[in-house]
Amino acid sequence: MLFKLTKNYRYTKINISERQKRVMKVLMLGWELPPHNSGGLGTACYQLCKSLSKKDLDIDFVLPYKADHGIDFMRISAAHPQGVTEVIRSGIAYDSYKYILADGTEEYLDIYAQQELYEHAVARIVDEKEFDIVHAHDWLTFRAALRVKEKRGCPIILHVHSIESDRAGNSQGNPLVHEIEDVSMHLADRIIAVSAHTKRSIMRDYDIPADKIEVIHNSIDRDHLEPLEADNAYRYLDAMKNLGYRVVVNVGRLTVQKGLPNLLYAAKEVIERCPKTFFLIVGSGEQYYELLTLAAELGIGQNVLFTDFQRGKRLRDAFAIGDLFVMPSVSEPFGLTPLEAIGYGTPSLVSHQSGVSEVIKNFLKVDFWDIHEMANQITAVIANDELRDELLKNALAEYQHLSWDDASNRIMNVYNRHLSGVNP
Amino acid sequence: MSKAIVLYLHVHQPYRIRHYTMFDTATKHDYFDAQYEDQESNERILHKVAEKSYIPTNARLLELLERHPEFKISLSITGTVIEQLERWSPQALQSFKDLCATGQVEIVAETYHHSLAFFYSRAEFEMQVNMHKHKIQQVFGQTPQVFRNTELCYNNDVAYWADKAGYKGVLAEGWDPILNWRSPNYVYRPSYTNQIRLLMKNYKLSDDIAFRFGNQEWSEWPLTADKFAGWLNQEPNATNFNLFMDYETFGEHQWEESGIFGFLSHLPGDWLKTEGNTFMTVSEVIDANEPVDVVDVPETITWADTERDLSAWLGNGLQTSSIGALYGLQDDIIKTGDFNLIEDWRRLQTSDHFYYMCTKYFNDGDIHAYFSPYKTPYEAYINFMNAYHDLKFRLSEKGVAV
């Protein structure tokens, strides 16, 4: 076992009437926030906290690094390990970060060493903090949450945005990470899963009882989407669309979890039937070169365009240039990108193995392994603009009703139930 | 009977593609115009090679040609490098002209763009060979008599074509599985031909100079001209030693510090001091000797890598799909009659682009990496394909259905 809990920790129940007199305080443990984020986790934490901050709630968000986020709706603290003056992040999650120590020396630490440092740093700084409940996001912060529970006896809520088998692409993944998730979920007071898909995975991988896990879907802050400009950065694709070409887009990390080889196999079948189809792959990751080679070997190198990692206008315009957005993930706990695609006017095909497929009815859906069906559905949209437009119209109608309010209301309920001492 | 060294040097620089992204496609058509400081800057690389190799080597060669009337060399020099010399180093170009003016230098025919067109489009191939011939006539006042295909790509078809086209000789790698028990040190005749002759590179002796010369781990290091001439003198019956190599061996692949210029300066004197020894150009050695045997080459051989096949350029999917896509545009591109568009398409045919995409030894960081301006073969592929898409865009702007 990685964890030792002290035998005599005390569970301090707060008197309800006393609590109502003051604002509830949440210690939020997270790994990243925009704009210093590498993916969906940072965005989800940001938007969730922004929505929660509208409630009568005081949030202290503890990050492993110091940076200017331009956030005014909550307090942000950096849990630097002792003796570290600065942490320099690389752009990509799971990469090593550079730690600058007080004596001026530098050290690169891998992700596992970083979460250990974070755990110890959090344990140190909570002594000066006042809070009622701990809400931790993903395994990197789970050990820190357990430490706080051990020291302070407060309830801990673990928010699961992804689990190890998702990230590893349907295998056990890293056994150390697996053990951290296993132990902490058993010791948690409550688990929030971002989808029913994730809840099932947690039950399958860690034998957690169903009634300990609450499904609270992520959402999208529609006002957060920056508007498009008149010109599109993909001038070539724009020109080709006017000549009858159609564009299929994927945005995401090029990693095993995202299931992109299957999209390329499907692309080959689509291009055989509709040669005027481009597949635009936006992102970087360890599969980049593998996918590039696969596309060439399948004989569709002329139709598959790789842009590498993009942000800002080029990212927005990638969503907008598509006739169809495809998210073929092998396992996607939630999956924000298809919602962003709707926001930029593009309908989506998503895998059944995704959380977002539970939220929007008017997506096309397919099993990630079913290449023929994936090709079939992509071809249908490419060859039929009416289908594309109808899908978009109906998805947009659902999209208009999305907001984080529903998620934050339900999270408030979770907090209240735990602080009132009434076990759910 | 005399024994001749046939020293043949190949001069070439491609138009390297700059870091050209999807966002440049359909916006800018300047694929070959990197910033001067960039790795892929053709101007910067040409300046470097002219300074380290062309100018100092030609100065020595000219001196040797003047001092030894028996000293002869053969050169092949591509259209793409002549253009770059005209533009960025007229001084180096003039030094090549000065060599030719001695009458002891023969220029060899090849494709203008150093392309693999022979394997993709015979019409385009012939066009490029003609373009090259005209350029050589215009710049050097010679008409080539002997043909070499890009990267010494050779098979029976190449020989058959060159024979029909009227060349008196063709060059190839003297690869052991082809020669078998035979020696490369003679003149041969290709199968299925009558008139044309085949000269095969003595790769062991050539690579002693081109690859091993500066290697201090090599048991023969240091190699002196005297020692080298001694090896050749030990071959009693040979008629010709075909030393074929990249011109840039002198000063670029083998740096000045290795002593390569000293070797070059001493080679003619040390070789010619034995009676009966001489130098010949490729045409002279063909005129002077009858073929000793017929050589059959059904499969393509080249002078690259340990495989001596086309796999350095066409060995993986990135290479075959990108070159296939490029030649797929041929009819549409030619029909436009737009010189700039056609020329850009031809510059993309240069074999170096596909060599940069080679992945077979990528992990070893070998010779391919030495010659590539890109960090990875994938980067080379992405730049190339984005330029390819821009050609398509330019076609579409002319109303061509793409």
Side-chain angles (χ1 to χ4, degrees):
Chain A
M1 285 289 265
L2 286 168
F3 302 108
K4 249 184 346 196
L5 277 181
T6 51
K7 277 178 196 156
N8 315 320
Y9 76 86
R10 281 166 299 133
Y11 193 97
T12 34
K13 285 207 177 96
I14 298 168
N15 181 300
I16 299 172
S17 56
E18 184 192 325
R19 184 179 62 79
Q20 279 169 344
K21 283 182 211 149
R22 61 184 185 83
V23 173
M24 190 196 302
K25 292 187 165 151
V26 183
L27 183 71
M28 204 67 91
L29 301 180
W31 199 250
E32 60 175 31
L33 284 175
H36 307 278
N37 61 320
S38 62
L41 176 62
T43 309
C45 287
Y46 173 88
Q47 297 189 351
L48 176 66
C49 290
K50 191 176 171 195
S51 179
L52 276 171
S53 70
K54 293 174 196 152
K55 320 278 175 203
D56 208 7
L57 196 65
D58 177 279
I59 304 171
D60 190 347
F61 201 105
V62 183
L63 282 170
Y65 61 94
K66 193 177 284 172
D68 183 15
H69 295 87
I71 290 171
D72 57 3
F73 53 80
M74 62 183 173
R75 220 168 326 113
I76 297 178
S77 354
H80 275 190
Q82 228 157 0
V84 173
T85 53
E86 199 179 349
V87 180
I88 296 176
R89 306 196 52 183
S90 71
I92 298 171
Y94 307 110
D95 254 9
S96 52
Y97 294 165
K98 184 159 81 175
Y99 281 70
I100 298 176
L101 306 179
D103 59 8
T105 57
E106 298 173 358
E107 201 177 338
Y108 285 88
L109 293 178
D110 67 16
I111 193 80
Y112 193 82
Q114 289 167 48
Q115 66 88 26
E116 269 187 323
L117 279 183
Y118 179 77
E119 174 195 348
H120 294 295
V122 169
R124 197 162 43 78
I125 65 169
V126 289
D127 291 342
E128 297 117 45
K129 289 187 185 290
E130 197 189 317
F131 51 88
D132 306 309
I133 194 162
V134 176
H135 185 163
H137 298 271
D138 269 8
W139 74 273
L140 289 157
T141 68
F142 285 177
R143 275 173 61 157
L146 291 186
R147 273 295 194 104
V148 179
K149 177 164 176 166
E150 186 184 334
K151 282 183 97 164
R152 299 284 283 270
C154 58
I156 58 173
I157 315 289
L158 300 187
H159 201 130
V160 180
H161 298 259
S162 74
I163 61 171
E164 184 58 10
S165 61
D166 295 321
R167 295 180 295 261
N170 263 3
S171 72
Q172 285 287 299
N174 184 323
L176 295 175
V177 178
H178 185 92
E179 185 166 350
I180 290 174
E181 291 187 337
D182 192 353
V183 173
S184 37
M185 287 201 237
H186 276 97
L187 294 175
D189 292 274
R190 190 89 179 139
I191 296 167
I192 296 170
V194 293
S195 63
H197 171 75
T198 298
K199 176 172 175 169
R200 284 192 297 274
S201 306
I202 294 170
M203 290 161 63
R204 179 196 66 213
D205 290 0
Y206 300 116
D207 292 322
I208 306 288
D211 62 3
K212 186 173 173 177
I213 311 170
E214 185 142 358
V215 174
I216 301 181
H217 285 117
N218 283 353
S219 190
I220 186 166
D221 180 355
R222 284 178 283 117
D223 302 332
H224 199 64
L225 290 190
E226 283 194 50
L228 296 171
E229 291 156 31
D231 68 307
N232 189 291
Y234 298 81
R235 187 155 179 254
Y236 174 63
L237 293 178
D238 222 11
M240 292 294 125
K241 282 182 79 163
N242 288 330
L243 298 174
Y245 281 78
R246 291 292 174 263
V247 180
V248 178
V249 180
N250 172 272
V251 171
R253 258 181 314 127
L254 306 184
T255 185
V256 61
Q257 177 190 356
K258 303 295 180 180
L260 290 161
N262 286 355
L263 177 60
L264 293 183
Y265 289 119
K268 184 178 172 57
E269 296 188 19
V270 173
I271 290 161
E272 275 166 16
R273 290 163 185 79
C274 304
K276 288 190 165 188
T277 310
F278 283 118
F279 286 78
L280 178 66
I281 311 287
V282 181
S284 63
E286 83 280 353
Q287 279 192 327
Y288 191 3
Y289 297 155
E290 181 188 331
L291 294 167
L292 205 66
T293 308
L294 178 60
E297 284 170 356
L298 289 171
I300 55 172
Q302 313 166 47
N303 299 69
V304 186
L305 304 169
F306 291 86
T307 68
D308 209 337
F309 181 82
Q310 300 295 341
R311 49 171 91 236
K313 175 174 170 59
R314 288 176 176 182
L315 179 60
R316 296 193 289 278
D317 287 355
F319 285 115
I321 198 78
D323 293 280
L324 181 69
F325 184 88
V326 181
M327 187 182 73
S329 299
V330 171
S331 181
E332 190 68 64
F334 187 73
L336 182 63
T337 47
L339 296 183
E340 294 178 289
I342 306 177
Y344 290 117
T346 303
S348 286
L349 166 62
V350 303
S351 69
H352 284 302
Q353 291 70 30
S354 71
V356 76
S357 69
E358 301 160 16
V359 175
I360 300 283
K361 290 190 190 68
N362 289 285
F363 278 159
L364 293 177
K365 290 165 196 177
V366 66
D367 286 314
F368 76 88
W369 43 263
D370 196 345
I371 290 161
H372 293 300
E373 184 55 24
M374 200 183 292
N376 177 36
Q377 298 197 20
I378 294 171
T379 309
V381 177
I382 290 308
N384 189 339
D385 290 352
E386 289 73 29
L387 173 59
R388 175 194 68 192
D389 298 343
E390 187 65 23
L391 271 170
L392 175 64
K393 189 182 86 185
N394 297 326
L396 257 176
E398 292 186 82
Y399 173 84
Q400 302 299 345
H401 293 105
L402 293 178
S403 115
W404 278 96
D405 290 348
D406 185 44
S408 57
N409 286 337
R410 295 185 52 203
I411 287 172
M412 282 305 285
N413 287 341
V414 173
Y415 292 165
N416 282 325
R417 286 205 303 273
H418 279 277
L419 291 176
S420 66
V422 180
N423 236 339
Chain B
M1 203 170 88
S2 65
K3 279 195 281 188
I5 287 181
V6 181
L7 179 63
Y8 155 73
L9 305 174
H10 171 57
V11 190
H12 168 60
Q13 295 297 326
Y15 283 104
R16 296 161 195 84
I17 307 174
R18 69 176 177 90
H19 179 62
Y20 187 83
T21 72
M22 149 115 250
F23 304 100
D24 294 314
T25 301
T27 307
K28 297 175 190 157
H29 313 312
D30 55 348
Y31 327 131
F32 310 108
D33 301 341
Q35 297 291 307
Y36 193 82
E37 329 52 78
D38 292 344
Q39 278 295 310
E40 317 89 47
S41 166
N42 296 306
E43 184 179 358
R44 190 181 57 78
I45 293 171
L46 191 91
H47 281 158
K48 192 184 92 180
V49 178
E51 189 187 316
K52 286 181 69 176
S53 177
Y54 299 153
I55 292 170
T57 308
N58 281 348
R60 285 170 177 84
L61 287 173
L62 186 63
E63 193 192 314
L64 291 167
L65 290 164
E66 285 170 350
R67 195 191 317 156
H68 305 284
E70 305 93 329
F71 184 48
K72 304 285 175 62
I73 48 179
S74 306
L75 284 180
S76 62
I77 178 161
T78 62
T80 56
V81 72
I82 294 173
E83 286 178 5
Q84 294 186 43
L85 290 168
E86 284 170 339
R87 192 165 160 199
W88 294 314
S89 185
Q91 186 198 351
L93 183 62
Q94 185 57 46
S95 69
F96 280 110
K97 288 181 182 172
D98 294 344
L99 295 189
C100 290
T102 64
Q104 292 155 257
V105 176
E106 176 180 347
I107 307 246
V108 175
E110 63 182 318
T111 59
Y112 190 99
H113 294 88
H114 198 263
S115 73
L116 299 172
F118 185 83
F119 304 99
Y120 286 87
S121 164
R122 198 57 61 85
E124 174 63 17
F125 167 76
E126 289 180 353
M127 173 64 85
Q128 291 180 12
V129 174
N130 265 322
M131 287 174 73
H132 183 255
K133 184 170 87 183
H134 288 301
K135 188 77 179 175
I136 295 300
Q137 286 170 337
Q138 176 210 327
V139 176
F140 298 107
Q142 286 194 26
T143 301
Q145 308 290 313
V146 171
F147 180 76
R148 64 88 72 175
N149 201 0
T150 304
E151 305 289 359
L152 291 203
C153 288
Y154 177 85
N155 58 27
N156 289 336
D157 286 345
V158 174
Y160 186 82
W161 175 86
D163 190 26
K164 291 281 175 255
Y167 291 101
K168 67 163 68 166
V170 58
L171 310 184
E173 174 74 9
W175 191 221
D176 303 307
I178 302 295
L179 281 164
N180 215 335
W181 55 272
R182 296 170 292 195
S183 154
N185 305 333
Y186 298 90
V187 174
Y188 289 92
R189 177 169 67 81
S191 298
Y192 314 107
T193 64
N194 288 317
Q195 300 303 318
I196 199 166
R197 300 293 174 257
L198 174 62
L199 297 178
M200 303 188 82
K201 171 183 161 186
N202 185 320
Y203 73 85
K204 294 187 189 79
L205 291 171
S206 301
D207 290 353
D208 285 340
I209 302 169
F211 293 127
R212 286 181 282 275
F213 184 83
N215 179 5
Q216 304 198 7
E217 309 290 304
W218 182 35
S219 59
E220 298 294 346
W221 185 89
L223 179 63
T224 61
D226 191 45
K227 186 200 274 188
F228 190 78
W231 292 345
L232 271 53
N233 281 326
Q234 284 166 23
E235 297 275 328
N237 298 316
T239 56
N240 48 289
F241 298 99
N242 298 332
L243 305 181
F244 298 176
M245 63 199 75
D246 281 346
Y247 181 105
E248 293 84 0
T249 296
F250 299 97
E252 215 298 319
H253 309 345
Q254 302 292 342
W255 290 7
E256 183 173 4
E257 292 73 13
S258 69
I260 192 75
F261 288 130
F263 176 87
L264 180 64
S265 295
H266 286 95
L267 185 62
D270 286 344
W271 173 244
L272 293 168
K273 73 187 174 198
T274 302
E275 197 174 325
N277 286 358
T278 189
F279 286 86
M280 288 186 187
T281 68
V282 286
S283 286
E284 287 171 343
V285 75
I286 288 167
D287 291 340
N289 295 284
E290 284 303 309
V292 295
D293 201 358
V294 176
V295 173
D296 184 32
V297 186
E299 305 283 347
T300 304
I301 55 169
T302 72
W303 71 356
D305 295 353
T306 50
E307 293 89 345
R308 298 297 203 286
D309 60 11
L310 281 164
S311 59
W313 302 274
L314 303 174
N316 68 33
L318 301 175
Q319 296 167 314
T320 51
S321 72
S322 53
I323 197 171
L326 188 71
Y327 281 103
L329 297 179
Q330 172 174 324
D331 292 347
D332 289 334
I333 295 262
I334 298 292
K335 260 187 242 159
T336 63
D338 176 336
F339 177 79
N340 290 330
L341 182 58
I342 295 171
E343 186 51 28
D344 281 348
W345 174 68
R346 291 200 163 124
R347 287 179 183 184
L348 289 173
Q349 291 179 39
T350 299
S351 67
D352 303 60
H353 301 306
F354 310 102
Y355 193 78
Y356 302 145
M357 299 177 199
C358 181
T359 47
K360 60 180 169 174
Y361 306 119
F362 176 45
N363 296 331
D364 306 339
D366 73 330
I367 188 152
H368 289 257
Y370 180 77
F371 289 111
S372 176
Y374 309 107
K375 283 191 213 72
T376 68
Y378 308 100
E379 209 177 294
Y381 172 79
I382 293 170
N383 291 333
F384 182 92
M385 289 310 286
N386 287 330
Y388 158 83
H389 284 295
D390 191 67
L391 289 182
K392 271 180 81 163
F393 171 77
R394 288 161 73 182
L395 280 175
S396 75
E397 280 201 313
K398 292 175 176 294
V400 179
V402 291

